[in-house]
Amino acid sequence: MNTKYIFTFLFFVCCIGLQAQEVLTKDQAVSKALENNYGVKIAKNAVSVAENNTSILNTGFLPTLTGSAGANYNLDNTEAEFSDGSPDAVLNGAESSNYNASITLNYTIFDGLGRRYNYKRLKEQYQLSELQARETIETTILQLFSVYYNVAQLSDNLNALEETLQNTKDRLIRAEYQFEYGQNTKLEVLNAEVDINTDSINIINTKQDLKVAKRDLKLVLGETYINDFDVETEVKFALQFQKDSLLQKAKSRNVALLQTEKNILISELDINSGKSAYLPTIGLSGSYGWNQSDNNAVSLLAVSTSTGLTAGVSLSWNLFDGGATITRVKNAQINLETQKLEKERILLNIERDFNNAWDNYQNKLEIYNIQEKNIVTAQNNFDRTQEKFKIGQVNSIEFRQAQVNLLNAELSRNQAKFAAKLSELEILQISGELLNVQF
């Protein structure tokens, strides 16, 4: 008999384990988004392209080596007249051929430092692409948590609504017993049934909203889950920095500002690269060739073969190109000035956005703390009202009002909690610290 009970217990434990849903933690969500989100993947590919462009194979510092070969075949009819009065010579269908092959090496010794500035520009462009990928990652993380916390809020709301529904069902059972024994009217039963329908509709709508939110979360994660999942609903506020220190970080680590600084460096290199066209270009060239000719009968030589090595130095100087270089340099200087102005504009925007985000965070955090206190008050009010309802000191309308007040307090608390957390993440993103904290 004891063995039977043990197997029964194990069976129920296994059933409960099979019904448990996977919990998608915040760290897992971030990891999956960084690995599978399509926007992040595209940004990483752009970084890979920029990295390939910084290779020495793309700088022009290496020589070029060209191989060429060819073959010609001739079929000629030749008629020759001699000046010494000899009889004319006629040759029909005279065949001749020529074969050649060569290999040529060209190397630019000096090009006005254009290659040097171009190589530096490619390295700066690579670092800029990394910053652009970082911006994409930060934006994706903010989007991820916006959806993740929406799922968490709806999950908390669903729990509160289900608890409310259960209390209403208990009230209906109590009202039916009281009606059966003549302690109240049918109106109490009908009121309880109406409230059950209201609570059930709220749960149905919330479940639908939760399904939609989970699909949105799957989209951000870049992958599809076959089974349903839950999310973490606990929130920890990790903002440990003072306002002034965070503002200074924002003015030095903000990703938009860093990108502008890179664009300034690239513009300076564009100016130097343009000026390199004012200088001459010096190059080396060398080639080795082989040539063989099979001549027809008219030629003095039946077969001739030649091989040879050729080397040379060249200098070219574009003294005037119609003003194209002058225009290019002037435009690069204007672009540099534009980038500097853009930096000043971004600094002003950063300070404004940071102060707005900080105040928004402080307000939402204060609201959340007030809502936490309000939960305690609403819970105490509901508990006392419930006790009085059981002994008949309050009616069902007063009980329902206390129940709704508690539910509204829980829903408002949930909304305030996740809104405050998202505001905190926004501050971290503006200050450039979003990727340096634990979620």
Side-chain angles (χ1 to χ4, degrees):
M1 183 63 68
N2 291 336
T3 304
K4 179 179 179 181
Y5 287 142
I6 292 174
F7 280 114
T8 303
F9 173 76
L10 292 177
F11 173 77
F12 282 111
V13 169
C14 291
C15 290
I16 294 174
L18 291 174
Q19 293 176 354
Q21 294 182 167
E22 174 189 359
V23 176
L24 179 65
T25 67
K26 291 185 283 292
D27 290 337
Q28 288 175 338
V30 172
S31 177
K32 290 179 181 295
L34 296 182
E35 181 180 357
N36 300 310
N37 181 270
Y38 289 103
V40 174
K41 286 183 177 181
I42 293 172
K44 289 180 178 179
N45 285 343
V47 173
S48 298
V49 171
E51 183 179 11
N52 291 337
N53 288 338
T54 61
S55 169
I56 193 172
L57 300 175
N58 190 48
T59 60
F61 279 108
L62 297 180
T64 61
L65 189 63
T66 305
S68 61
N72 295 312
Y73 173 79
N74 299 314
L75 184 63
D76 301 318
N77 295 325
T78 304
E79 182 177 347
E81 295 182 0
F82 299 100
S83 59
D84 59 358
S86 300
D88 295 344
V90 177
L91 184 61
N92 294 322
E95 296 182 355
S96 63
S97 60
N98 177 269
Y99 307 94
N100 63 84
S102 65
I103 185 169
T104 303
L105 176 71
N106 288 295
Y107 180 66
T108 301
I109 300 175
F110 179 76
D111 68 341
L113 301 178
R115 292 176 300 181
R116 177 187 175 189
Y117 292 124
N118 183 58
Y119 180 56
K120 289 183 177 181
R121 187 186 190 282
L122 291 173
K123 291 196 293 184
E124 296 295 338
Q125 192 69 43
Y126 167 60
Q127 295 176 9
L128 177 61
S129 68
E130 288 185 316
L131 291 173
Q132 291 169 341
R134 173 186 154 188
E135 183 178 28
T136 300
I137 291 172
E138 290 181 355
T139 302
T140 301
I141 288 177
L142 284 180
Q143 181 187 10
L144 166 67
F145 279 110
S146 177
V147 181
Y148 186 94
Y149 287 138
N150 186 34
V151 174
Q153 181 180 337
L154 289 171
S155 299
D156 280 348
N157 291 351
L158 182 60
N159 291 334
L161 290 168
E162 289 176 342
E163 184 178 353
T164 300
L165 176 61
Q166 185 59 49
N167 290 331
T168 307
K169 288 180 178 179
D170 294 340
R171 178 182 135 210
L172 175 61
I173 294 173
R174 182 180 182 84
E176 288 175 340
Y177 276 124
Q178 289 177 339
F179 174 73
E180 183 179 348
Y181 290 100
Q183 296 180 0
N184 61 20
T185 64
K186 185 67 174 178
L187 182 62
E188 294 292 334
V189 175
L190 296 176
N191 285 337
E193 290 177 348
V194 170
D195 292 337
I196 284 179
N197 291 335
T198 300
D199 294 341
S200 299
I201 291 173
N202 291 335
I203 288 176
I204 292 172
N205 290 332
T206 302
K207 285 183 176 180
Q208 177 61 25
D209 292 340
L210 184 58
K211 288 180 181 179
V212 173
K214 286 184 177 181
R215 293 190 189 104
D216 292 339
L217 180 56
K218 292 176 183 179
L219 181 63
V220 178
L221 295 177
E223 59 181 53
T224 301
Y225 288 90
I226 299 177
N227 300 323
D228 197 4
F229 63 92
D230 292 324
V231 298
E232 293 179 330
T233 58
E234 294 296 325
V235 167
K236 295 181 180 179
F237 296 97
L239 195 58
Q240 304 294 333
F241 301 98
Q242 297 296 323
K243 179 180 180 180
D244 292 339
S245 65
L246 271 178
L247 180 57
Q248 292 305 315
K249 289 178 180 293
K251 292 181 178 181
S252 61
R253 291 182 51 80
N254 182 273
V255 66
L257 179 64
L258 295 177
Q259 288 183 65
T260 304
E261 291 176 347
K262 283 297 175 186
N263 284 326
I264 289 175
L265 293 175
I266 290 173
S267 297
E268 291 174 346
L269 292 171
D270 285 340
I271 293 174
N272 293 329
S273 179
K275 289 181 177 179
S276 67
Y278 292 134
L279 299 177
T281 299
I282 301 175
L284 288 176
S285 63
S287 65
Y288 179 82
W290 167 82
N291 187 287
Q292 177 178 310
S293 297
D294 296 331
N295 302 313
N296 56 37
V298 177
S299 301
L300 295 177
L301 297 177
V303 178
S304 63
T305 302
S306 64
T307 58
L309 179 65
T310 303
V313 179
S314 63
L315 182 146
S316 64
W317 197 338
N318 194 348
L319 300 177
F320 183 69
D321 60 357
T325 299
I326 296 174
T327 302
R328 186 163 55 250
V329 172
K330 286 183 177 180
N331 289 339
Q333 291 171 337
I334 294 173
N335 187 57
L336 174 61
E337 182 63 24
T338 300
Q339 294 298 331
K340 290 180 179 179
L341 293 173
E342 178 68 12
K343 179 181 177 181
E344 296 299 322
R345 185 185 68 83
I346 288 179
L347 281 171
L348 291 176
N349 288 341
I350 287 174
E351 187 166 359
R352 180 205 60 187
D353 294 344
F354 176 82
N355 288 325
N356 289 343
W358 180 269
D359 291 341
N360 187 45
Y361 170 67
Q362 295 298 323
N363 291 338
K364 282 183 167 54
L365 189 60
E366 184 177 0
I367 291 173
Y368 168 62
N369 292 329
I370 293 174
Q371 293 291 354
E372 283 281 22
K373 296 177 182 178
N374 193 34
I375 284 287
V376 177
T377 303
Q379 185 67 55
N380 290 335
N381 179 60
F382 174 75
D383 292 340
R384 292 184 180 182
T385 303
Q386 189 177 39
E387 291 175 1
K388 291 183 178 181
F389 178 71
K390 289 179 180 179
I391 61 178
Q393 293 184 353
V394 298
N395 56 35
S396 61
I397 296 177
E398 293 172 317
F399 175 79
R400 178 63 177 179
Q401 186 60 50
Q403 187 184 34
V404 170
N405 289 341
L406 176 59
L407 175 62
N408 290 337
E410 290 177 336
L411 298 182
S412 298
R413 187 271 312 273
N414 294 341
Q415 193 277 334
K417 176 174 68 173
F418 296 112
K421 184 60 181 179
L422 288 175
S423 297
E424 180 190 67
L425 294 179
E426 183 181 357
I427 292 176
L428 293 172
Q429 191 271 336
I430 294 174
S431 61
E433 293 292 327
L434 183 61
L435 303 181
N436 299 327
V437 296
Q438 291 292 328
F439 300 104

